[in-house]
Amino acid sequence: MAVLQEYKCPCCGGAIAFDSTIQKMKCPYCDTEFEMETLQSYDNELKNEPAEDMQWDSSAGAQWQEGEADGLRTYVCQSCGGEIVGDENTAATSCPFCGNPVVIMGQLSGALKPDYVIPFKLDKKAAKAALLRHYSGKRLLPKVFQDQNHIDEVKGMYVPFWLFDADADASIRYRATRVRAWSDRDYDYTETSFFSVTRGGSIGFERVPVDGSARIPDDLMESIEPYDFSEAVDFQTAYLAGYLADKYDVDAEQSIGRANERIKRSTAEAFAATVQGYATVTPEATGIRLRNGRAKYALYPVWFLNTTWQGKQYTFAMNGQTGKLVGDLPLDKAAYKRWLFGLTGAIGAAIFAVSWLLWLL
């Protein structure tokens, strides 16, 4: 049975959480601050506390159909006794009744324990401000979306990542061309020379990140990179207090394909940058061999902002360390038509003016 871990303030007994602005644990009731190091022994004590059993026997409610409850997990809040419902990947959340942050210890124990965590540096206010900046300057964004739109949900989540290290030995062959042109009194000449160019060498990769959550799009997570790993720390559950957290449901073995894609693409770009002085360069054959491949497990901070517009949900993601935000925006179709009509009209007027000048000449 999983154990719910809550961090209580030794001064007033209130629930404490990690404060990204001061990089410490802080009590929102008495404003007492705690260094992360001082909570290490407290953390160890809480892990050894016996699990509380407060199950009720009731015949109310219908039976679950086969497969309907697969993946659901229920826990009891140690502060108010309320029931917390999550899935098999929920590792940190908050009680929906009293709001206290909790960490579900069973989800992060044993082989599932992360090696590293990058703590949140930016808070919810910064995430909302970043979204407003994302709106600004978008001429084709519906005005009502900016003026009357309400953010449905803002949640800070630690997303599981696999970090891959590897050395790559590569050999790439390119077909390249050089073009020479000249003229005489009678003709214009063009000479195209073809070359076979080979590049070979080794390149090292450290901490290539691959999203370990099946329900979060990989391209969305890659869009908010990079993270500064120099600010990563050894994992402590206290960093999760006050945020959501998922454990991986895509393991390291399943993530190798995505890591290989990123390594292959980066290797090709690095080697192609050394082939210079040609008019065109086309890769013809690529051979990449990996050595010393290994993976680590880490949690990275992400703010998710969800909003609804005309029945469609729009999701934005912000790097909780750097503030980089990405997300699709709706298009004001009427404004787009006006812009397109104005552009077409401007091009037509320019063509007419040029034609008139040529006629005058």
Side-chain angles (χ1 to χ4, degrees):
M1 180 178 177
V3 178
L4 292 187
Q5 178 163 317
E6 297 180 63
Y7 292 88
K8 297 290 188 180
C9 176
C11 300
C12 69
I16 59 177
F18 180 72
D19 190 320
S20 61
T21 59
I22 60 174
Q23 296 291 291
K24 299 178 182 179
M25 299 290 283
K26 183 177 181 179
C27 177
Y29 305 100
C30 66
D31 291 331
T32 304
E33 300 175 2
F34 304 91
E35 296 288 346
M36 298 302 297
E37 291 76 10
T38 62
L39 289 175
Q40 187 62 53
S41 58
Y42 181 44
D43 192 5
N44 293 331
E45 289 179 10
L46 290 176
K47 289 177 182 177
N48 296 324
E49 286 185 349
E52 191 170 10
D53 187 1
M54 298 178 63
Q55 300 299 319
W56 290 79
D57 184 11
S58 173
S59 59
Q63 295 293 321
W64 290 99
Q65 299 298 316
E66 183 177 355
E68 190 175 6
D70 290 351
L72 288 181
R73 301 288 187 274
T74 59
Y75 312 95
V76 177
C77 177
Q78 296 176 356
S79 293
C80 69
E83 187 175 69
I84 302 170
V85 179
D87 63 20
E88 70 272 23
N89 298 316
T90 302
T93 184
S94 59
C95 176
F97 304 100
C98 66
N100 281 350
V102 295
V103 179
I104 303 171
M105 298 305 298
Q107 302 289 59
L108 293 167
S109 61
L112 300 180
K113 181 181 178 181
D115 298 298
Y116 308 104
V117 58
I118 294 182
F120 274 89
K121 290 189 68 176
L122 301 172
D123 58 13
K124 182 182 293 187
K125 184 184 296 184
K128 291 182 177 180
L131 183 59
L132 293 179
R133 289 194 300 272
H134 190 61
Y135 291 163
S136 65
K138 306 297 191 299
R139 297 176 58 187
L140 301 182
L141 181 68
K143 190 174 186 299
V144 178
F145 186 86
Q146 300 182 60
D147 296 343
Q148 300 180 16
N149 181 63
H150 297 287
I151 300 173
D152 299 331
E153 184 181 32
V154 180
K155 56 185 180 182
M157 176 182 290
Y158 282 104
V159 176
F161 277 86
W162 294 106
L163 308 181
F164 290 89
D165 295 348
D167 296 317
D169 298 325
S171 177
I172 305 178
R173 188 179 74 253
Y174 304 90
R175 182 166 57 90
T177 64
R178 285 188 179 133
V179 179
R180 185 169 68 94
W182 72 94
S183 302
D184 59 21
R185 294 181 59 184
D186 299 318
Y187 299 100
D188 295 328
Y189 302 91
T190 301
E191 178 188 76
T192 302
S193 301
F194 293 86
F195 301 86
S196 179
V197 181
T198 302
R199 290 290 186 269
S202 300
I203 185 171
F205 293 89
E206 291 185 346
R207 295 181 292 274
V208 177
V210 177
D211 166 23
S213 175
R215 55 185 170 184
I216 302 177
D218 291 334
D219 55 353
L220 183 64
M221 292 297 93
E222 291 175 9
S223 297
I224 61 174
E225 293 177 13
Y227 284 87
D228 182 1
F229 192 80
S230 67
E231 297 181 345
V233 296
D234 291 337
F235 176 76
Q236 289 187 48
T237 55
Y239 285 107
L240 308 187
Y243 300 93
L244 300 174
D246 274 3
K247 72 176 181 66
Y248 66 85
D249 55 0
V250 179
D251 62 26
E253 193 71 24
Q254 294 170 310
S255 301
I256 287 176
R258 187 74 176 185
N260 286 345
E261 288 179 16
R262 304 199 70 183
I263 289 174
K264 184 175 181 179
R265 183 168 61 248
S266 297
T267 301
E269 291 174 354
F271 278 60
T274 69
V275 184
Q276 300 178 353
Y278 298 95
T280 63
V281 177
T282 305
E284 288 190 313
T286 301
I288 298 177
R289 297 162 300 281
L290 296 183
R291 296 180 288 106
N292 305 320
R294 54 195 176 276
K296 293 291 187 178
Y297 178 31
L299 298 180
Y300 281 4
V302 181
W303 283 103
F304 290 98
L305 303 94
N306 294 307
T307 186
T308 304
W309 167 252
Q310 294 185 344
K312 181 180 178 181
Q313 187 179 68
Y314 293 85
T315 298
F316 304 90
M318 189 187 87
N319 186 314
Q321 180 191 39
T322 68
K324 182 179 180 181
L325 183 141
V326 299
D328 295 330
L329 293 169
L331 176 68
D332 187 334
K333 295 181 180 179
Y336 173 74
K337 290 179 180 178
R338 291 194 299 270
W339 174 81
L340 186 62
F341 178 78
L343 180 63
T344 304
I347 293 174
I351 294 174
F352 176 78
V354 171
S355 301
W356 177 255
L357 288 174
L358 292 175
W359 184 81
L360 289 176
L361 295 174

